[in-house]
Amino acid sequence: MGAVQLALGLVAVAVSVVAWAGFVRTVARMVATIRLGQPDATRNGPFVPRLRTLVKEFAAHTRMNKFRHVGPWHWLVMWGFLIGSAALFEAYGEVFVPTWGWPVLDHWNLWHLLMELLGVATVVGGVALVLIRQLNHPRRADRLSRFQGSNFWQAYFVEAVVIFEGIGILGVRAGKAALGAHELPTWAAFVSNPLGDLLPASPDLVSALAFIKLMGAMVWVYVVAKYMTMGVAWHRFSAFFNIYFKREDDGGVALGPLRPMMSGGKPLDFEEADPEKDVFGAGKVEDFTWKGWLDFTTCTECGRCQSQCPAWNTGKPLSPKLLITQLRDHAYAKAPYLLAGGSRDMAGDEVGLTGDNPYAGIDVLAIAESQRALVGDDGAVIDTEVLWSCTTCGACVEQCPVDIEHVDHIVDMRRYQVLIESNFPSELGGMFKNLENKGNPWGQNAKDRLAWTEDLDFEVPVFDGELTDDTEYLFWVGCAGAFEDRAKKTTRAVAELLHTAEVKYAVLGPEETCTGDPARRAGNEFLFQMLAQQNVEVINAVFEGREAGKRKIVVTCAHCFNTIANEYPQLGGKYEVLHHTQLLNKLVRERRLVPVAPVAEDVTYHDPCYLGRHNKVYEAPRELVGAAGARLREMPRHADRSMCCGAGGARMWMEERIGKRINVDRVDEALGTAPSKIATGCPFCRVMLTDGVTARQADGLAGEHVEVVDVAQLLLSAVRRGKEPDAE
């Protein structure tokens, strides 16, 4: 060991001690900060399925590869960081002893090949990610760039260090090759051996290169320790935990059912709840669970959610990415106040800290942050328009590579605004009143729920207190299917197809009530609970005495389908629920429905969010389009990337005053496939798309022949030879 080695080694150790000490302190602060969130015991297990999901998602990059042009490069960088860390820590030995290498491993040619590949892969992957960021820079695409609003200096810093460390791995190896530290075959050192031939055989050079590599890494460690909100760096650690603790232990994304309203880690009981003690949604950042805080911490600002968001893509202020980063910045800015014991009541008065000088020793910025409203119009963390622009379509959750649960967080904030603040769009007031008094959003009388049956040439069986033994399905018509004129056509088509196939079913008629979906997505959990419990009692009474496998419900509304199938089990309502496209497809396969008159037209299919993304039903409706004899023309955004119609999240009952109308944007995409019909499988989608087509026809941008139909109507056209079903 020479003087150069000793000097560089001591400096490296001294700098590293400072950097790593800061890093460890920051990790401890971060853990303490995340634990400020509310408890959530649902994330604790089971261990093996969660671990399996974690390994699959990070090792195979299953979610990252949803963007195929990015996934492979990120995969290279990820492994370069994980396994390449061995090269980083090896540098501590190389600074002091230039020929040093890991015991045992240093004698394996395959280990050297792995290090060689990692060095090259890290450089190539890092450069590719920089180029992708440049090609998608907001200066080129403005709002269309998924990086709009992302922190660029942090991203470029991380990517620069990635490239620097990759070069460092190869540089040190080349220096050792020049020194003759190892006699490696060319296949195990295909870059460092040729480079080593160009370098002098110098121990000092190897130590210097190892020192430079170490200092680059320590700069990264030091900077990251200074910025707890640098998600583009911290996700390298927190993403593992965020994936493991995702909501669904079977590996599914946080879609379908909403997370129940919780307080103190337990479902909230409205009969015993106390607004002064219990948490009603999220009115303050500390009302989010610790998993919410972990979500905020883990966001990498990649913008995939933003690129898929229907609100953002039509000029609305909502960006799922910016919503999460704003919550993150607020949470960490407020954390010192919360860690000191600070707390405010609903009026905003301090109740956690006492004494003559309660804020002594607390950062004034943290105190100021504690006084900000979470949601509001003037200086709040989340603007009111941002909160209510969400359609809960789930595109953000579906695309997030680190399993952030945007929709649950948005609905939690809505819950507080509705239940505690009574602060919500004025249009929702009428909808809430109609649901409470009439049991449907349109305010129609329950006695009119069977009006859709009046012009049918067969009798629709209505539940009269007891199901017959041969009744196989309860046909849940839904509010739209019973009251909305366009949706009634779908209901009649399904009823006629079931009648043709000789399927035994019954409808509830006046006993049916809204499932509560619009109330729940709008944040009115109390109203949802009231409606849902009423329905569960009715349905359980209908199926009384029937074993679990024979409690079957068929539904035409994607929102009813999702609520009954996924949310009613939270209230004791467990049934086998089928969407009408699934049942009709089954009947076609069984040849109980035989298409005889093909619909020889070009049809594009719109995936309803609550049928597709939320419940993964993609094939059944498409197979029905094919069975009807139509030619399917897919839109660019389809299946799990389908664009929302704009009706979800109770947006059906809210005015759209900012930007382009979402339904018009979706219709423009549909018209781009030159269809004669736009098919869908949800009455909400049908209403929104029909309005969009009507608007484009009025503008002269769509032919008068274009119409919106339900998939069931297409099938009925093919089954009823020469007899057209109801058209628009």
Side-chain angles (χ1 to χ4, degrees):
M1 184 187 302
V4 171
Q5 284 74 34
L6 187 61
L8 291 178
L10 291 175
V11 171
V13 170
V15 171
S16 297
V17 167
V18 173
W20 284 116
F23 185 84
V24 171
R25 282 197 304 271
T26 300
V27 169
R29 287 207 329 269
M30 182 176 289
V31 171
T33 299
I34 291 171
R35 293 182 65 186
L36 288 168
Q38 295 291 313
D40 185 355
T42 64
R43 314 282 178 161
N44 293 340
F47 174 74
V48 173
R50 288 186 178 277
L51 182 63
R52 187 185 303 120
T53 297
L54 170 61
V55 172
K56 181 177 70 173
E57 287 196 19
F58 98 83
H61 256 37
T62 52
R63 296 191 58 72
M64 180 62 69
N65 283 330
K66 283 180 175 288
F67 275 36
R68 295 189 182 279
H69 66 288
V70 178
W73 309 117
H74 188 275
W75 187 83
L76 295 177
V77 170
M78 180 197 72
W79 285 113
F81 175 76
L82 291 175
I83 303 178
S85 297
L88 169 65
F89 290 104
E90 187 178 39
Y92 284 106
E94 292 165 336
V95 171
F96 287 102
V97 181
T99 59
W100 191 85
W102 289 111
V104 181
L105 294 176
D106 201 41
H107 302 291
W108 291 359
N109 288 342
L110 286 177
W111 171 255
H112 287 283
L113 174 63
L114 178 60
M115 288 295 104
E116 200 86 359
L117 290 172
L118 285 174
V120 173
T122 303
V123 173
V124 172
V127 170
L129 293 180
V130 170
L131 290 176
I132 288 170
R133 194 174 293 271
Q134 276 295 306
L135 292 173
N136 290 275
H137 198 284
R139 67 170 172 267
R140 297 172 182 268
D142 196 33
R143 283 179 69 98
L144 293 179
S145 167
R146 62 188 176 94
F147 298 116
Q148 175 77 286
S150 296
N151 191 308
F152 272 81
W153 82 258
Q154 292 181 356
Y156 285 138
F157 168 74
V158 169
E159 288 159 354
V161 172
V162 164
I163 297 169
F164 182 86
E165 289 303 302
I167 294 172
I169 291 173
L170 297 174
V172 173
R173 289 180 58 78
K176 292 173 80 171
L179 191 61
H182 306 101
E183 294 296 331
L184 297 174
T186 302
W187 62 265
F190 57 88
V191 174
S192 54
N193 273 359
L195 286 178
D197 293 339
L198 304 176
L199 299 176
S202 169
D204 292 348
L205 176 62
V206 175
S207 295
L209 290 172
F211 176 80
I212 293 170
K213 181 158 76 80
L214 266 177
M215 290 304 97
M218 290 309 101
V219 167
W220 186 88
V221 170
Y222 181 81
V223 171
V224 168
K226 282 286 187 182
Y227 295 94
M228 278 197 294
T229 58
M230 190 187 285
V232 70
W234 281 108
H235 84 279
R236 296 182 172 201
F237 310 99
S238 62
F240 293 101
F241 299 97
N242 214 50
I243 294 169
Y244 177 84
F245 290 117
K246 66 192 299 184
R247 194 183 77 183
E248 304 300 327
D249 57 43
D250 63 357
V253 292
L255 294 176
L258 279 174
R259 180 176 168 273
M261 197 163 170
M262 310 285 281
S263 180
K266 299 178 182 178
L268 187 68
D269 184 346
F270 280 98
E271 293 183 0
E272 300 179 0
D274 181 357
E276 295 292 336
K277 298 178 182 178
D278 289 304
V279 174
F280 279 65
K284 304 185 290 291
V285 74
E286 57 267 34
D287 291 341
F288 291 104
T289 68
W290 61 263
K291 176 55 168 66
W293 285 63
L294 185 58
D295 277 356
F296 309 155
T297 303
T298 306
C299 179
T300 71
E301 303 184 34
C302 70
R304 292 185 182 205
C305 57
Q306 179 173 292
S307 72
Q308 304 298 304
C309 179
W312 179 263
N313 282 312
T314 53
K316 316 291 189 294
L318 169 64
S319 157
K321 174 187 69 180
L322 297 180
L323 179 137
I324 293 296
T325 57
Q326 286 162 357
L327 289 172
R328 176 197 66 196
D329 294 344
H330 170 63
Y332 277 91
K334 188 177 180 180
Y337 163 81
L338 296 173
L339 289 169
S343 177
R344 298 183 185 277
D345 59 19
M346 288 192 294
D349 298 324
E350 179 62 52
V351 293
L353 300 172
T354 58
D356 296 333
N357 189 9
Y359 300 128
I362 304 176
D363 190 331
V364 293
L365 295 178
I367 298 170
E369 201 70 28
S370 73
Q371 297 170 340
R372 291 181 69 191
L374 186 67
V375 177
D377 297 320
D378 187 17
V381 179
I382 303 298
D383 188 82
T384 302
E385 287 290 349
V386 168
L387 182 65
W388 293 103
S389 291
C390 179
T391 66
T392 68
C393 72
C396 50
V397 179
E398 180 66 37
Q399 290 298 327
C400 181
V402 292
D403 288 303
I404 293 171
E405 298 162 5
H406 312 72
V407 173
D408 282 346
H409 302 324
I410 288 172
V411 173
D412 268 342
M413 288 187 282
R414 286 183 174 184
R415 285 166 169 166
Y416 186 87
Q417 294 301 306
V418 171
L419 298 174
I420 301 300
E421 298 287 348
S422 295
N423 182 21
F424 48 83
S426 58
E427 306 96 314
L428 291 180
M431 189 262 286
F432 290 154
K433 184 177 180 180
N434 287 337
L435 286 174
E436 189 171 355
N437 296 333
K438 297 289 189 177
N440 66 85
W442 282 273
Q444 300 294 312
N445 293 319
K447 64 181 178 61
D448 295 328
R449 278 190 176 269
L450 288 173
W452 62 272
T453 67
E454 292 173 358
D455 55 355
L456 294 175
D457 56 7
F458 58 90
E459 184 178 350
V460 173
V462 181
F463 176 71
D464 59 0
E466 184 176 357
L467 284 183
T468 59
D469 291 338
D470 61 348
T471 301
E472 189 175 1
Y473 294 96
L474 175 65
F475 180 11
W476 187 272
V477 176
C479 301
F483 299 122
E484 209 281 326
D485 288 339
R486 288 161 287 192
K488 286 181 184 178
K489 297 170 184 176
T490 301
T491 309
R492 284 194 287 267
V494 171
E496 184 169 345
L497 288 166
L498 295 180
H499 177 73
T500 302
E502 298 182 350
V503 174
K504 302 298 182 182
Y505 68 94
V507 300
L508 287 178
E511 294 297 311
E512 199 175 283
T513 303
C514 179
T515 60
D517 164 84
R520 191 172 220 195
R521 267 71 196 170
N524 196 335
E525 184 72 10
F526 179 80
L527 182 54
F528 164 75
Q529 295 279 344
M530 183 181 74
L531 294 168
Q533 287 171 3
Q534 178 181 336
N535 278 329
V536 168
E537 288 178 10
V538 170
I539 299 173
N540 283 346
V542 170
F543 287 132
E544 187 175 4
R546 286 208 173 191
E547 55 196 67
K550 294 185 177 180
R551 297 180 165 215
K552 298 180 181 180
I553 302 175
V554 60
V555 188
T556 58
C557 175
H559 297 261
C560 295
F561 172 68
N562 178 70
T563 302
I564 298 173
N566 297 321
E567 296 183 333
Y568 280 14
Q570 299 170 358
L571 302 170
K574 297 182 180 180
Y575 322 107
E576 181 182 336
V577 186
L578 291 175
H579 188 256
H580 71 281
T581 58
Q582 294 174 304
L583 178 56
L584 295 178
N585 194 43
K586 176 175 176 285
L587 296 174
V588 169
R589 289 179 176 223
E590 294 174 351
R591 301 196 62 78
R592 294 169 67 182
L593 288 174
V594 181
V596 293
V599 180
E601 297 184 61
D602 295 321
V603 175
T604 190
Y605 175 70
H606 164 79
D607 288 278
C609 300
Y610 276 87
L611 182 63
R613 258 191 305 272
H614 282 270
N615 287 284
K616 312 307 178 198
V617 179
Y618 298 116
E619 296 306 318
R622 286 176 168 79
E623 290 177 5
L624 283 181
V625 171
R631 293 180 295 274
L632 178 64
R633 292 172 173 257
E634 291 283 17
M635 286 182 259
R637 291 177 289 185
H638 64 275
D640 63 353
R641 291 199 186 187
S642 179
M643 168 76 169
C644 181
C645 73
R651 290 292 320 176
M652 177 88 165
W653 288 273
M654 289 184 254
E655 289 296 325
E656 200 170 339
R657 300 183 178 89
I658 301 175
K660 183 179 180 181
R661 294 185 67 87
I662 294 174
N663 62 329
V664 171
D665 191 70
R666 183 57 167 169
V667 164
D668 286 345
E669 185 175 2
L671 294 174
T673 67
S676 58
K677 285 183 170 61
I678 302 171
T680 188
C682 173
F684 286 12
C685 294
R686 181 171 182 175
V687 168
M688 298 299 285
L689 295 176
T690 301
D691 289 347
V693 168
T694 301
R696 283 311 189 216
Q697 287 172 337
D699 295 337
L701 300 177
E704 294 299 322
H705 67 286
V706 179
E707 61 178 348
V708 181
V709 297
D710 189 273
V711 173
Q713 290 179 276
L714 284 179
L715 181 62
L716 186 58
S717 294
V719 170
R720 284 195 336 195
R721 180 189 294 272
K723 187 178 179 182
E724 285 292 320
D726 293 330
E728 289 300 329

